[in-house]
Amino acid sequence: MVDTTVYINPTELLEQPVQLIQACIGGDRYSQSVLYEQFATKMFGVCMRYAKNREEAEEIMQEGFVQVFKSLNNFKFAGSFEGWIRKIMVYSAIHHYRTKPKMHMVVDIENAKAEDLGNEEIMSYLNKKELLKMVQALPPAYRMIFNLYVFEGMKHREIAAHLGISEGTSKSNFFDAKQLLQKAVINSLKIAKNY
Amino acid sequence: MDKNLHNIEDLFHAALDDNEETPSQNVWEKIDRQLDKDNIVSIKRKYTNLKRFAVMLLLLLISFALFDVYKINTLSKGNGLAKYDNSIKSDKQSKSNIITGKGSEKNTETNSAVITDTSSNINDRKDKPSPEDITTNNQKLTNQHQDVPIDKTQLQKLNKVEKIYSSKNIKKTQEDLTSNQKKKRNTKGSYRIKITSPDPVEDKESTDQNDYADNQIPYLPKKNTRPPEEDKLKTKDSTDTKKLSTLIVSAKPKIADSSNNTIAKTASKKTSKSSRFSFTPFFSPDIAWYRLQDDKTGQPDNASEIEKEEKHEFSSTFGILADYKINKHWGLQSGVTLSNTNITVNPKTIYAQQDNTGGVKYRINTSSGYGYVLPSFSTNPAIGDSLYAFTSTHSLQYIGIPLAVTYNITKGKFKFNALAGIAANILTKAKLEATLEKGFNNSIETLDNIRGLKKVYFSGLAGIGVDYKLTKKTALVFEPTMRFALNSINKDAPVKSYPMSFGFNVGLKIGL
């Protein structure tokens, strides 16, 4: 019994993104898997920032990629394809946040103390994973606002519209998120310096 | 503090903006499953639209059939019985006029004229109307009837009525009267007739005229061919005349009833026409088989290999068929059917291959299509790994919408049919079930989605059968039918499959 399915070399598809996208629009699962493989790591990095842990990030990415394959025919081939996928991932994260029951955490930010250290110096003590963990440790609303403002470059007005909150709340939450992160950074630096 | 707060987002932005992480393998599998699920949902949605369309068609068909039945019933009442009801009313009014002698001013000219004629015949021989007068009256009547359109059927009925009343043998009329009298002797309010000296000629004329008046039927002059002199000779006795008058008056309701019943029956018989629609719920045990073709030339002989491995199990078709009679012999047939085909696969070894997503799974090939399975005891096979698969079964379910032309010949209670047509078959279920074994491990794997199947295929229909009429509107149907695929049921599969079946349709035809 011989398998009659024709397999295409992934590199051939990657060299011709338009052909790959067209094949994905046509519902070719193999092409879809190639496309997924191409963007999975980058998009998972994005999803990790919006999630509190790996599992949640995987859920967001799963929903995001399903949406990508469903909406591929809406892609106009103008602008960055990666940017388009990233945008879908962000919207998937927002959707995930809005559909999950909200937890209102009481956050203590009184004990935060500032240390006059440069970013490069901090980076020499802390690696990316630690910083990511700090972001993930933020309360969901703070994490969402921080991500949208810092990484997506959204204005507080836009964030407020996306999350269904007031602009003032967005600003206030962002401020609190930064304080929490500063505190977390300071604590981590203390630990790192002690070692 | 402020300085650090100002910079903290830059720190995170610089560190995490290009962050990349490798997700687990499960993510793609979940996406794959989700996409499959969405495909199934979209197919189901497509089927939902088709189902809605089919239901709408069915409703339209039923509505049309009901309208047809309603129309027939209305015609039956309107053209047939209803008109004769009017005649009966008119008849009763005439009787009343004759008995009481009070003719309603609102009566038709015809009725008045006839009453006058009748009185003249009985009481005053001198004023007896000549045939010309009667003819004139008839003309008036005819004119009156011209106001109402008389169709062919009505004229036929009228001719029948005429025959009844223009019987030359008055004795027969009397016998009828007597028999009617006998029949209704025990009936409350019935008339008793005693004929003492019947004068056939006089009776005939009087009866004719009265009935003519009663039933509002055009009187034909040819019936009144007797010369008036003859009448005069035969009606000299005034006593007899009176008796005769009584006889006529009393006999009239009987005659009228009898005639009206006859008319009503005739009308009813003529107009009791059945609908052109009939429905047949049926069940058909099928003998199923298929014709296999290799999908690509130059490939190994997959078709003959699969054909050897597979065996058809019990298959069946059931549904409801709607017949529309175009004319005496020809008709159209449509409806909705649901067919099930089950095929078992002999025990065989299956091998792990790379599936469409790049993963390695065990592939099962069938005549319907193929599927990939990953049993729990062997979740990470290498290409070429093998498993033993036994008791594999694949089942296909299709909704069929047939459209056929029928030809039938009726012989007594039997109606012999022949039909030919096509059917669109929509895939509703494709299931593959396999029991897999490796060493001491075994598991049952079920796939609800056989790959490589078309959503729709077309088949031809041909059959001959016989209907046995049970009642006026029901018949037992036996119609062996051959169904054969016009195009293959699969695409991108190792083989092309053309299913065929021979079904023994048994059903009950219900006319509307």
Side-chain angles (χ1 to χ4, degrees):
Chain A
M1 198 74 63
V2 171
D3 184 10
T4 56
T5 313
V6 179
Y7 293 109
I8 306 162
N9 186 351
T11 50
E12 281 176 30
L13 279 172
L14 293 175
E15 283 165 7
Q16 296 165 313
V18 177
Q19 193 186 337
L20 175 69
I21 293 165
Q22 292 291 0
C24 291
I25 291 168
D28 179 57
R29 195 56 54 80
Y30 178 64
S31 302
Q32 287 173 341
S33 71
V34 170
L35 186 82
Y36 168 81
E37 290 296 337
Q38 192 184 349
F39 294 102
T41 51
K42 282 180 187 171
M43 294 309 134
F44 194 61
V46 173
C47 294
M48 282 293 278
R49 279 194 279 106
Y50 284 89
K52 67 176 178 189
N53 52 34
R54 237 184 129 77
E55 287 72 33
E56 198 180 17
E58 286 181 353
E59 278 179 34
I60 292 167
M61 194 165 85
Q62 185 195 327
E63 287 171 20
F65 265 105
V66 169
Q67 198 56 44
V68 164
F69 293 128
K70 279 183 182 174
S71 317
L72 262 179
N73 52 350
N74 296 329
F75 181 62
K76 306 291 179 194
F77 296 96
S80 160
F81 184 55
E82 186 186 324
W84 184 75
I85 295 180
R86 183 189 168 111
K87 207 172 177 182
I88 289 178
M89 292 298 155
V90 171
Y91 282 118
S92 173
I94 292 169
H95 181 257
H96 193 81
Y97 163 74
R98 293 196 71 168
T99 51
K100 293 278 172 189
K102 290 182 179 67
M103 303 283 282
H104 297 283
M105 287 178 68
V106 179
V107 184
D108 178 24
I109 53 172
E110 292 300 316
N111 299 324
K113 282 184 182 177
E115 270 194 42
D116 197 3
L117 290 170
N119 284 347
E120 285 176 8
E121 201 178 346
I122 293 167
M123 285 292 285
S124 65
Y125 287 106
L126 302 172
N127 61 27
K128 281 184 180 180
K129 278 196 174 177
E130 281 174 298
L131 290 173
L132 180 65
K133 276 184 182 173
M134 285 175 199
V135 175
Q136 286 181 328
L138 286 172
Y142 291 5
R143 186 171 62 238
M144 188 60 65
I145 293 163
F146 183 79
N147 269 303
L148 294 174
Y149 189 86
V150 175
F151 295 99
E152 313 308 329
M154 283 189 187
K155 306 289 177 201
H156 283 295
R157 201 178 341 106
E158 292 173 84
I159 295 168
H162 279 302
L163 302 182
I165 56 172
S166 69
E167 199 177 329
T169 308
S170 177
K171 283 177 182 172
S172 161
N173 283 0
F174 178 66
F175 184 78
D176 290 347
K178 284 207 294 185
Q179 279 193 313
L180 282 171
L181 288 171
Q182 190 193 34
K183 187 187 168 186
V185 168
I186 290 164
N187 289 338
S188 295
L189 280 173
K190 275 180 185 174
I191 295 162
K193 279 180 180 177
N194 289 337
Y195 280 103
Chain B
M1 177 84 176
D2 283 345
K3 192 182 176 184
N4 283 333
L5 275 175
H6 183 72
N7 292 330
I8 198 94
E9 63 260 36
D10 295 337
L11 167 73
F12 279 89
H13 187 271
L16 299 177
D17 194 36
D18 57 348
N19 182 43
E20 287 188 14
E21 290 212 22
T22 310
S24 68
Q25 269 293 319
N26 292 336
V27 180
W28 172 247
E29 281 172 16
K30 283 178 185 173
I31 293 168
D32 190 28
R33 275 201 294 272
Q34 183 67 40
L35 291 171
D36 276 342
K37 206 173 167 182
D38 290 348
N39 278 343
I40 291 164
V41 169
S42 80
I43 290 165
K44 276 185 180 172
R45 275 180 194 159
K46 278 180 189 173
Y47 290 145
T48 309
N49 289 338
L50 272 170
K51 281 173 197 168
R52 280 179 189 162
F53 183 67
V55 166
M56 274 179 67
L57 272 179
L58 200 68
L59 284 173
L60 270 172
L61 196 70
I62 290 166
S63 309
F64 191 64
L66 288 174
F67 175 71
D68 197 41
V69 172
Y70 170 77
K71 205 169 74 177
I72 287 162
N73 286 340
T74 315
L75 277 172
S76 166
K77 283 176 186 171
N79 290 346
L81 294 173
K83 287 189 178 180
Y84 287 102
D85 282 347
N86 290 337
S87 301
I88 290 162
K89 280 177 191 172
S90 172
D91 170 42
K92 282 178 183 172
Q93 205 168 4
S94 300
K95 276 186 278 177
S96 168
N97 292 340
I98 290 166
I99 293 162
T100 57
K102 294 172 185 175
S104 169
E105 285 179 8
K106 287 180 184 177
N107 264 358
T108 59
E109 191 183 339
T110 313
N111 282 348
S112 304
V114 173
I115 290 162
T116 315
D117 286 349
T118 314
S119 307
S120 305
N121 280 335
I122 295 164
N123 299 322
D124 191 1
R125 291 293 103 192
K126 288 173 187 175
D127 296 336
K128 187 187 177 297
S130 66
E132 288 77 17
D133 290 335
I134 292 165
T135 311
T136 313
N137 284 334
N138 287 337
Q139 279 169 354
K140 283 177 187 174
L141 277 170
T142 313
N143 291 335
Q144 188 189 1
H145 277 278
Q146 275 170 358
D147 294 338
V148 183
I150 301 167
D151 59 21
K152 197 180 172 183
T153 319
Q154 273 182 293
L155 283 170
Q156 284 172 350
K157 286 168 200 165
L158 295 175
N159 285 338
K160 281 199 173 187
V161 174
E162 194 185 319
K163 279 176 189 172
I164 293 165
Y165 294 103
S166 65
S167 170
K168 287 177 183 175
N169 190 355
I170 191 63
K171 281 184 181 176
K172 196 184 172 189
T173 311
Q174 287 165 355
E175 279 167 13
D176 287 344
L177 289 171
T178 315
S179 65
N180 280 336
Q181 187 69 21
K182 277 177 185 174
K183 280 178 190 171
K184 297 187 179 177
R185 191 160 285 162
N186 296 325
T187 312
K188 200 174 178 180
S190 62
Y191 294 88
R192 288 192 176 192
I193 302 168
K194 199 173 180 182
I195 301 164
T196 49
S197 57
D199 186 337
V201 177
E202 184 63 33
D203 277 352
K204 181 183 180 294
E205 185 181 305
S206 304
T207 310
D208 281 350
Q209 288 186 18
N210 285 323
D211 287 336
Y212 155 67
D214 290 341
N215 295 297
Q216 300 289 299
I217 298 161
Y219 187 78
L220 301 175
K222 65 174 181 177
K223 302 293 170 193
N224 195 16
T225 51
R226 274 181 293 103
E229 294 76 18
E230 195 183 335
D231 290 342
K232 282 178 186 175
L233 286 169
K234 291 187 178 180
T235 55
K236 281 177 182 174
D237 191 348
S238 63
T239 315
D240 285 350
T241 311
K242 279 177 187 174
K243 281 179 182 175
L244 187 60
S245 169
T246 315
L247 168 69
I248 291 161
V249 170
S250 60
K252 212 165 49 168
K254 304 294 158 198
I255 297 164
D257 286 348
S258 170
S259 63
N260 282 327
N261 284 339
T262 316
I263 293 160
K265 278 175 189 172
T266 315
S268 172
K269 199 175 176 180
K270 289 261 180 188
T271 53
S272 65
K273 189 176 143 192
S274 60
S275 168
R276 288 172 179 269
F277 284 95
S278 62
F279 289 90
T280 313
F282 77 97
F283 175 77
S284 164
D286 297 339
I287 299 168
W289 71 98
Y290 51 56
R291 182 169 61 84
L292 296 182
Q293 262 183 8
D294 282 317
D295 193 32
K296 286 181 179 176
T297 52
Q299 296 288 335
D301 196 6
N302 288 326
S304 61
E305 198 176 322
I306 288 177
E307 210 163 353
K308 281 177 201 166
E309 288 169 356
E310 293 190 349
K311 187 186 167 190
H312 277 81
E313 297 297 320
F314 176 75
S315 302
S316 63
T317 307
F318 66 92
I320 185 158
L321 296 172
D323 284 277
Y324 179 75
K325 196 176 171 184
I326 296 169
N327 57 34
K328 194 183 170 187
H329 293 299
W330 293 96
L332 285 175
Q333 189 180 76
S334 188
V336 182
T337 65
L338 188 75
S339 65
N340 288 290
T341 309
N342 301 303
I343 302 168
T344 54
V345 186
N346 289 340
K348 65 175 181 180
T349 305
I350 58 169
Y351 297 92
Q353 290 181 14
Q354 197 171 26
D355 69 0
N356 294 348
T357 64
V360 179
K361 291 176 183 173
Y362 294 94
R363 176 167 166 144
I364 303 175
N365 282 321
T366 69
S367 59
S368 306
Y370 60 94
Y372 289 99
V373 288
L374 201 60
S376 54
F377 57 81
S378 178
T379 51
N380 199 16
I383 293 174
D385 282 0
S386 65
L387 278 180
Y388 192 62
F390 55 92
T391 61
S392 309
T393 310
H394 55 110
S395 315
L396 303 176
Q397 191 181 69
Y398 285 93
I399 284 180
I401 301 168
L403 181 65
V405 178
T406 59
Y407 181 81
N408 58 68
I409 299 165
T410 309
K411 292 268 182 190
K413 281 197 163 190
F414 291 94
K415 188 195 267 184
F416 299 94
N417 307 308
L419 71 91
I422 58 163
N425 301 284
I426 304 150
L427 180 70
T428 52
K429 198 172 89 177
K431 193 177 167 186
L432 174 63
E433 200 174 87
T435 308
L436 306 175
E437 188 191 59
K438 190 170 190 177
F440 294 105
N441 298 311
N442 64 65
S443 72
I444 297 169
E445 298 294 323
T446 306
L447 290 174
D448 289 323
N449 181 22
I450 298 177
R451 298 178 192 212
L453 273 170
K454 282 181 190 168
K455 289 164 193 168
V456 179
Y457 82 94
F458 293 92
S459 60
L461 301 169
I464 49 165
V466 62
D467 297 1
Y468 178 74
K469 196 173 178 181
L470 296 172
T471 64
K472 195 182 171 187
K473 289 196 172 182
T474 57
L476 203 61
V477 177
F478 177 66
E479 199 168 70
T481 307
M482 172 88 180
R483 301 178 189 93
F484 48 95
L486 297 173
N487 59 339
S488 72
I489 61 167
N490 32 29
K491 58 175 182 182
D492 303 330
V495 291
K496 279 184 177 177
S497 182
Y498 297 83
M500 290 179 227
S501 67
F502 188 78
F504 299 91
N505 291 18
V506 181
L508 185 71
K509 186 175 274 184
I510 302 157
L512 293 179

